[in-house]
């Protein structure tokens, strides 16, 4: 054995001789176990969380560790009843997937931190593992690069946990007030008093009076707030709280969500086509069995990863063929699925989907990927020119109508107007459908094809192949033909692009190819960005509705429904309602926007950013958002808001005159003492009391020191650093507990509408509190101020009381002790541990969510709880108690909940705590919950699928102190006449809550609009923008994680190789992009996921803004949505990365195909 | 290529031996020939004569209620585990862009000359690197692409840059790819591995669970 060291060259790089062995602790059976869903994307994978003391690790053999499952999935076909993980041998590949179901615990899944032991009153070090759940049907043990690092977003005081330590440093741990150039910590009483006084002022002054019961409303208050699954992960309860305070308590009309500038409906067009808010209408089961999976402007590899790599790949690779046979007609062919990727660039998804079936990207793009006996490829990647999708969909529809009229007529006549649909009372708008067909027939097929080729850049051959894949029937071996089952998911490539027109054209196409037919394997839905889970009272409409002749007490017009509006306007002008006039009207409507730059939608649904630029408003409330990175024309928004916030700060600190000479400065040069003594001697104010501070703010905004343009900015969030609105603008900052581990919440996912309860598994850092408490206390204090000023019976007091009293009561009833009375309101404790949070959330679930609409009937604009369904106070959602969801672990139930039953001891826990619930289950009983599988099915088909979740405590498995009931998932068929007996309400009740009408309407391509078209004519490169799979949203919990930071340490600009060559640019060059709306500096990465003539820039980078430095304030004038995807910029080189930095980061191009090599070498 | 999820017993063979099994799984894979000399052994951590030692104490867990399938809890014992120094290749075997499949302590690894100076690289050009052959996402066997100098997973398409320390280009892993820490003996051209820098897929204690913990030198 040669050990001569003199000739040995050690490795370079981050190595240490004799590497320390890497190991992760296995959870012992005594670990505390919690169930959550991921912090990140719309797929909402299930994660099991284990918390155990450092030093008490478990062992690898079965029964020595806590990785135990107790679940039977009869839909996907796996049985994990009483399943114990065995880690004694290194795991085989894919062991996390059932049936092996042993998840490998990687480094990203482990955190070491502290938690608080309430019995002993001490903090102790623990390991927390956040492990993808093999039993969860969403992910089946799979995970993305985001979710696999969930544990690294847990705060930790240990500096050998680099990620956790940095998270801890960046978390907001106390309320903060900006003073003397710092953000200074204050207590809860201080910040609650300040905010209450200021909000009190603005609901009693400078108000606009709405009809009773709303009364005087705080119209000087504006809010940017995540409305569902936002920055913190969010969820129904977290996001309900600012809604209660601002939409109802303050009653301001000027609300916008986290990702767009107005309170708009991103998918208004699909609402119009389907007659309601049915944008999440299918299921992962449908995705896994569809014949044709269409992804439009949805880069699911990055944005819905597990949906793609688990369910879509299973379909394309033939894994689900048996499953298809269960749901398809007898004799119907069940080949591996096909995929169509429509995008403006060759995204990672296009690459991956092609490679998954053994094709190159080129084959996928030229239609030669795995061509079958029908002449159809298995994967087709269609690249369109930016914003031209409407033209593509209309051309494909025309091709289908001309080529497969029988297929179209089958859906129109035999499905939408077929016997089942007629019997169930489905309505199909034939008038509008006929207009649509008139439009398709207004050009010959060859005219359509050549026009579309010219506009979209897609060749005629590919357009036709696309139509064949969607509509050409399958041939069975029995000689019979079967209609294709088509499923469409679309996302921001459409939503932030041509939005209404393109989406409507897609919806129309979906109708004629039967994606809306309600058959298993069909649907048309968003892919989504983040998870869902919203509940909020709808805010009042803007005060100027009076001038528009619209009522002030009936809600707001959120978009212009064109299929009603256009015929109406034509008739007013005495014109015939035919396709030609409709199309021409729509085109000139949009052209008018480009000419005037005034989107008609704003008058109905105000664009809050426009108000900020206009100098409007006195208070801006930013709830868990990073608008500095995530709004259109972000640089301009930053500059404007900073300026306005600074005007206020200078005024309240009374520093406006500092450094400004009051007399001529020439005397300084000419006379002793050669400086201005009074300037030097002027002191600055002491840190104010809450009263002084609040009054100073009010005075500077509206009183004797009124400063035009000044704006008071409140931030309510979890992470401070890298959020410019907090770091540079906010005057007051509230620390929130995150609904990822520190408080309960409810979320549901895209693709499946599966709702889960997420459980807290550690305390929030510092004195951060759940929003339930924070907003309830602010509201309580405002209520006290109203009472003490003789306004206890005012409309303002009444609406605050109605909105919050159930929460005040629940906090009071479920306060175990009052160990730290909030000095401002001493009957409430400010100690997180004094509350029984599960009981409080149970009350909130029952009052505001399960029965929300009924309990908010006093509020004229209603409460929006998407997918809520409770025909009576004991049915639908209202038949579910929150602890049912606790016992349902990561499996949950699909929404809408159709019904639930409970029998046995489990139904009556002695106390509403996790321990009490498990104890009740350990004594036996069964809970059954029913959810809907597909929204199109109940009224279009003679029977519809229902998911049944059975929670059987009689077959529970106990691991340590954790009781795991046996959960079984089935999908059964239910007929309309079974609804009453199964669920306790009528079929008509259900019908009203699902798709019961279809309304196609012609919608043309209208070109690039307004500010965007100005940039297009001035600047060279189209700046496409979207997500990286490793970055989540603004990157607010990414920059702290070393491996993520290393991968994306600065802004990276992806370029096409040909463009880079033409510009003389190489990997690692530093470039500046610029246009009329801002500049962005970043590093070049030559990537083959970018189309020529364009760039790809992430919407945000962890340590820098991204594409929004360049996006424009262009808004869809029909739907009020920002058109972020449409911006153009020039590029100029400003430098190059130093070599030592360049070496640290990868510039390898994305490439999922390897040319096969015949050479090999032996060792 | 279809994935048969019901059968996974032969996938275990991929990790622990059998070039034929590997070749049968994926076309285009570039592998070495006889790189699997050792038989599978039970994990029995034992004291070995290695340069670095690390003591691991396994304590008895306080087991409370467990159902019928409980096995006896681990007993306290002192075991020493660590990585060993093991020859994995010789420089003369390596051509730029063609990886060699080797076995380090029973774990399948790839040794490759990337052709450019690389993080963690050894050899006259600093371009010899070694990595675990199992994807750090769900453990599927990787393939090397000499055009991009990356290790690619054909299952879900994670891509790791072999010149940048196993950093993910894109993909789904929860950590970067484990890299071998290598030494190069100029006089003989022998390349030794002395450990992994990250947790290897499928293990919770990479050194202790090594299928062939003490390999010695060939």
């Amino acid at each position: 054995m040669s050990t001569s060291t003199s000739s040995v060259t050690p490795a370079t790089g981050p190595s240490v001789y004799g590497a320390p062995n890497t190991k992760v602790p296995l959870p012992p059976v005594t670990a505390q176990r919690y169930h959550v869903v991921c912090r990140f994307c719309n797929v909402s994978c299930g994660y099991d969380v284990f918390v155990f003391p450092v030093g008490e690790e478990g062992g690898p053999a079965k029964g020595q560790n806590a990785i135990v499952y107790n679940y039977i999935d009869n839909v996907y076909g796996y049985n994990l009843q009483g399943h114990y993980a065995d880690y004694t041998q290194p795991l085989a590949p894919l062991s996390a997937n059932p049936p092996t179901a042993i998840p490998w615990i990687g480094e990203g899944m482990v955190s070491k931190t502290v938690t608080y032991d309430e019995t002993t009153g001490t903090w102790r070090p623990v390991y927390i593992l956040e492990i993808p759940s093999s039993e969860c049907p969403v992910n089946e043990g799979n995970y993305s690069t985001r979710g696999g690092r969930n544990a690294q977003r847990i705060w930790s005081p240990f500096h050998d946990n680099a990620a956790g330590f940095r998270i801890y440093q960046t978390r907001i741990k106390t309320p903060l007030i900006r003073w003397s150039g710092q953000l200074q910590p204050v207590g809860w009483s201080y910040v609650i008093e300040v905010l209450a006084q200021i909000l009190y002022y603005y609901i009693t002054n400078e108000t606009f009076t709405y009809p009773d019961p709303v009364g005087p409303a705080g119209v000087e208050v504006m809010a940017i707030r995540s409305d569902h699954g936002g920055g913190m992960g969010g969820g129904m309860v977290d996001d309900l709280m600012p809604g209660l305070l601002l939409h109802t308590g303050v009653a301001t009309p000027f609300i916008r969500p986290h990702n767009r500038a107005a309170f708009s409906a991103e998918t208004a067009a699909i609402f119009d086509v389907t007659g309601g808010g049915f944008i999440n209408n299918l299921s992962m089961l449908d995705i896994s069995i569809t014949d044709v999976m269409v992804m439009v402007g949805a880069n699911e590899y990055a944005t819905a990863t597990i949906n793609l790599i688990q369910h879509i790949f299973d379909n394309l690779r033939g894994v689900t063929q048996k499953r298809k046979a269960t749901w398809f007609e007898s004799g119907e062919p069940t080949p591996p699925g096909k995929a169509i990727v429509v995008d403006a660039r060759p995204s990672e998804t296009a690459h991956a989907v092609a490679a998954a079936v053994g094709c190159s990207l080129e084959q996928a793009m030229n239609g030669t990927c795995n061509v079958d006996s029908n002449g159809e490829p298995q994967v087709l990647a269609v690249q369109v020119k930016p914003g031209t999708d409407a033209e593509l969909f209309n051309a494909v529809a025309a091709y289908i109508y001309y080529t497969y009229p029988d297929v179209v007529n089958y859906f129109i006549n035999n499905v939408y107007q077929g016997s089942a649909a007629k019997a169930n009372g489905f309505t199909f708008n034939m008038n509008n459908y006929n207009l649509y067909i008139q439009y398709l027939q207004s050009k010959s097929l060859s005219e359509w094809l050549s026009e579309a080729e010219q506009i979209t850049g897609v060749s005629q051959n590919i357009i036709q192949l696309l139509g064949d894949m969607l509509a050409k029937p399958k041939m069975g071996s029995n000689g019979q033909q079967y209609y294709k089952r088509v499923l469409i998911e679309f996302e921001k490539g459409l939503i932030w692009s041509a939005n209404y027109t393109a989406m409507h054209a897609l919806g129309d196409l979906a109708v004629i190819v039967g994606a809306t037919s309600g058959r298993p394997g069909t649907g048309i839905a968003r892919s989504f960005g983040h998870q869902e889970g919203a509940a909020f009272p709808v805010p009042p409409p803007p005060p100027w509705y009076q001038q528009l002749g619209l009522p002030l007490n009936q809600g707001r017009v959120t978009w212009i429904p064109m299929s009603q509006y256009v015929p109406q306007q034509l008739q007013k002008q005495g014109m015939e309602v035919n396709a030609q006039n409709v199309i021409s009207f729509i085109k000139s409507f949009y052209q008018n926007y480009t000419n005037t730059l005034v989107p008609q939608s704003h008058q109905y649904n105000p664009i809050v950013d426009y108000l900020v630029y206009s100098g409007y408003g006195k208070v801006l409330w930013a709830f868990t958002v990073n608008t500095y990175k995530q709004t259109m024309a972000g640089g301009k928004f930053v500059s404007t808001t900073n300026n306005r916030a600074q005007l206020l700060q200078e005024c309240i600190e009374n520093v406006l005159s500092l450094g400004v000479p009051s007399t001529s400065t020439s005397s300084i040069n000419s006379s002793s003492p050669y400086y201005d003594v009074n300037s030097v001697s002027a002191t600055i104010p002491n840190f104010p009391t809450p009263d002084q501070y609040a009054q100073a703010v009010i005075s500077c905004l509206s009183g004797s020191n009124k400063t035009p343009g000044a704006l008071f900015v409140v931030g309510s969030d979890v992470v401070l650093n890298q959020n410019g609105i907090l770091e540079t603008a906010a005057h007051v900052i509230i620390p929130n507990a995150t609904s990822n581990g520190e408080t309960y919440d409810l979320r549901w996912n895209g693709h499946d509408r599966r709702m889960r309860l997420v459980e807290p598994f550690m305390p929030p850092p510092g004195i951060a509190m759940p929003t339930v408490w924070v907003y309830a206390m602010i509201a309580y204090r405002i209520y006290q101020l109203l009472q003490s000023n003789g306004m206890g019976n005012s409309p303002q007091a009444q609406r605050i009381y109605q909105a919050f009293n159930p929460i005040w009561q629940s906090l009071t009833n479920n306060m175990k002790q009052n160990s730290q009375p909030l000095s401002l309101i001493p009957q409430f404790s400010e100690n997180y541990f004094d509350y029984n949070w599960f009981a409080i959330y149970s009350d909130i679930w029952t009052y505001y969510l399960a029965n929300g609409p009924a309990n908010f009937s006093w509020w004229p604009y209603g409460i929006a709880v998407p997918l809520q369904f409770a025909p009576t106070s004991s049915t639908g959602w209202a038949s579910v108690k929150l602890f049912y969801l606790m016992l349902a672990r990561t499996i949950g139930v699909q929404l809408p909940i159709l019904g639930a039953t409970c029998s046995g001891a489990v139904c009556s826990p002695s106390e509403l705590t996790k321990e009490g619930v498990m104890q009740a289950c350990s004594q036996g009983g069964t809970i059954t919950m029913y959810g809907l599988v597909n929204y199109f099915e109940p009224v279009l088909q003679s029977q519809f699928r229902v998911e049944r979740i059975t929670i059987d405590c009689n077959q529970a498995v106990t691991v340590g102190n954790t009781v795991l009931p046996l959960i079984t998932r089935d999908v059964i068929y239910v007929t309309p006449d079974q609804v009453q007996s199964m669920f306790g309400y009528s079929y008509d009740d259900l019908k009203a809550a699902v798709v019961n009408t279809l309304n196609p309407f012609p919608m043309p391509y209208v070109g690039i609009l307004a500010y965007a078209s100005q940039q297009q004519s001035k600047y060279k490169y189209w700046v496409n923008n979207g997500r990286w799979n490793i970055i989540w949203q603004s990157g607010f919990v990414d920059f702290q994680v070393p491996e993520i930071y290393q991968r994306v340490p600065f802004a990276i600009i992806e370029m096409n190789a040909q463009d880079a060559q033409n510009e003389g640019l190489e990997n690692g060059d530093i470039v500046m992009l610029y246009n009329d709306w801002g500049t962005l500096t970043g590093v070049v990465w030559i990537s083959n996921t970018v189309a020529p003539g364009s760039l790809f820039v992430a919407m945000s980078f962890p340590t820098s803004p991204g594409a929004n430095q360049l996006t424009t304030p262009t808004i869809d004038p029909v739907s009020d949505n920002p058109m972020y995807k449409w911006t153009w910029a020039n590029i100029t080189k400003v430098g190059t990365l130093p070599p030592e930095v360049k070496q640290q980061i990868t510039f390898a191009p994305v490439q999922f195909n390897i040319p096969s090599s015949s050479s090999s070498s032996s060792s | 290529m279809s994935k048969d999820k019901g059968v996974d017993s032969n996938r275990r063979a991929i990790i622990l031996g059998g070039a034929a099994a590997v070749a049968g799984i994926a076309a285009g894979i570039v592998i070495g020939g006889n790189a699997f000399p050792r038989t599978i052994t039970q994990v029995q951590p034992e004291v070995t004569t290695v340069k670095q030692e690390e003591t691991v104490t396994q304590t008895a867990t306080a087991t409370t209620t467990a159902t019928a399938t409980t096995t006896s809890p681990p007993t306290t014992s002192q075991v020493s585990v660590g990585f060993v120094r093991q020859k994995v290749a010789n420089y003369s075997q390596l051509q730029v862009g063609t990886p060699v499949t080797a076995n380090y302590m029973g774990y399948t690894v790839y040794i490759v000359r990337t052709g450019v100076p690389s993080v963690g690289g050894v050899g006259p050009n600093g371009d010899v690197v070694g990595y675990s052959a199992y994807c750090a996402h769900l453990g599927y066997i990787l393939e090397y692409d000499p055009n991009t100098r990356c290790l690619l997973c054909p299952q879900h398409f994670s891509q790791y840059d072999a010149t940048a320390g196993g950093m993910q280009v894109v993909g789904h892993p929860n950590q970067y790819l484990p890299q071998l820490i290598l030494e190069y003996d100029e006089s003989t051209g022998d390349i030794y591995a002395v450990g992994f820098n990250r947790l290897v897929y499928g293990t919770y204690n990479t050194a202790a669970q090594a299928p062939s913990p003490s390999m010695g030198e060939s």
Side-chain angles (χ1 to χ4, degrees), chain A residues 67 69 83-87 91 94-97 99-104 134, chain B residues 201:
Chain A
I67 311 290
Y69 303 116
H83 182 96
Y84 291 76
D86 181 347
Y87 289 94
L91 303 171
L94 310 179
S95 67
N97 285 155
T100 310
I102 307 173
W104 170 56
S134 295
Chain B
Y201 171 78

Side-chain angles (χ1 to χ4, degrees), chain A residues 17 21 100 301 1043 1146 1163, chain B residues 8 93 157 161 176 183 205:
Chain A
Y17 182 82
N21 180 33
T100 310
Y301 177 96
E1043 283 187 349
T1146 176
S1163 75
Chain B
D8 68 345
Q93 298 172 257
F157 308 104
D161 190 335
Y176 292 168
E183 291 179 1
N205 184 332

